[in-house]
Amino acid sequence: TNRIPSRELQRGGVQRPHPLNSPVSAMGRVKKEEDLGPEADENWKSKDPKALAHEIATFMGGEWPTRPVRKVQLASDGVPTGDEELFEMTNLNPTLLSEMSLKTRFLFLEVYLEDLQDVYSEVMETLKGDKVTYDSLRKFKHLAISLAFNAVSDVCQQAFDKTDFDPFPEVAPDERPGCVCPLDVKAFTQQTAAAVALVKMMVDAEGELPPAAEPRIVRVEKKFYYDDI
């Protein structure tokens, strides 16, 4: 029979036994298909945001993360109870929080409230004399400044400014094995307690910002400078 050869053979090439996107490669080996996780349009049962997060995390045998046991509890002695005093003490810039929706802010702050206390404990567990490990304090500063708690972030920075980093090279981002920093433990604890109290105030209000936040929100007016060109 006069069989018409495939295009590959007409060009002098080799006809592929399987398409390019087949799990079987040209060498005959079965490709390991990459697990991309659940589909975006997966029909999730949960509608509540917290329950949905748990369902997604535990999908196909996944595990819900557990928090470490806090070996050092945060003391809240002498912390103000009013929102104005707490904003003044923590120097919190609420601009980022104000840009979140109420539901997102509430869920975010619930997690952040626990994170602050967990990482505070991590720092204090390394305390020897008046020094703590660089790695733990750096982790705390990242957490504090991510939400613009500027006062406690400044306490951390003062500890770094007093530290000689030269003998302790950074082996990985934010990792300096053996490096310790002199920390003002009293100021660190007071500022962390104030930050926790302010976050808890907003969590108890289900994400609503207290009145003292409004005058501290930085608002940028959007202008189109090319209108007159």
Side-chain angles (χ1 to χ4, degrees):
T1 58
N2 294 326
R3 186 178 179 183
I4 300 174
S6 66
R7 292 182 179 179
E8 286 86 352
L9 293 178
Q10 288 177 359
R11 292 196 297 266
V14 178
Q15 187 174 12
R16 295 181 182 275
H18 304 285
L20 287 172
N21 60 351
S22 170
V24 182
S25 70
M27 297 300 292
R29 298 191 182 97
V30 178
K31 293 182 180 179
K32 183 179 180 181
E33 295 189 4
E34 184 180 358
D35 182 10
L36 299 177
E39 294 290 338
D41 57 352
E42 185 76 29
N43 187 22
W44 304 109
K45 298 178 182 179
S46 306
K47 303 304 177 186
D48 176 75
K50 292 181 186 177
L52 178 60
H54 188 278
E55 183 181 350
I56 294 173
T58 55
F59 182 76
M60 296 291 287
E63 294 184 1
W64 184 255
T66 57
R67 289 189 174 275
V69 177
R70 294 175 196 151
K71 297 180 181 178
V72 180
Q73 299 299 318
L74 179 63
S76 57
D77 301 338
V79 174
T81 56
D83 60 323
E84 183 65 42
E85 293 84 357
L86 286 171
F87 267 99
E88 191 69 30
M89 183 174 178
T90 61
N91 195 16
L92 171 65
N93 183 336
T95 303
L96 177 61
L97 285 171
S98 71
E99 294 174 349
M100 300 179 187
S101 68
L102 181 62
K103 183 178 291 186
T104 298
R105 184 163 59 238
F106 178 41
L107 293 174
F108 177 85
L109 288 171
E110 276 192 312
V111 176
Y112 193 82
L113 178 62
E114 301 302 317
D115 286 346
L116 275 175
Q117 297 171 84
D118 286 348
V119 184
Y120 170 82
S121 179
E122 286 183 35
V123 173
M124 297 302 290
E125 286 169 33
T126 71
L127 181 64
K128 292 184 179 179
D130 66 340
K131 295 183 178 180
V132 297
T133 62
Y134 165 85
D135 292 1
S136 65
L137 191 60
R138 184 68 176 171
K139 180 179 179 180
F140 186 94
K141 185 183 178 184
H142 278 311
L143 179 64
I145 203 62
S146 69
L147 202 57
F149 274 105
N150 295 308
V152 71
S153 177
D154 288 345
V155 174
C156 297
Q157 187 58 50
Q158 290 167 10
F160 297 145
D161 291 343
K162 298 175 183 176
T163 303
D164 181 9
F165 293 116
D166 291 340
F168 306 100
E170 194 172 47
V171 299
D174 300 327
E175 289 187 23
R176 295 179 184 270
C179 183
V180 293
C181 308
L183 178 67
D184 185 338
V185 176
K186 182 178 179 181
F188 178 67
T189 297
Q190 288 177 338
Q191 286 294 344
T192 303
V196 166
L198 186 49
V199 172
K200 188 176 186 304
M201 179 183 291
M202 291 184 280
V203 169
D204 291 343
E206 298 187 350
E208 291 284 357
L209 295 177
E214 180 60 31
R216 293 174 168 85
I217 296 173
V218 178
R219 303 189 187 279
V220 179
E221 184 180 356
K222 294 181 180 179
K223 295 182 179 180
F224 298 96
Y225 294 98
Y226 52 79
D227 287 346
D228 57 349
I229 296 177

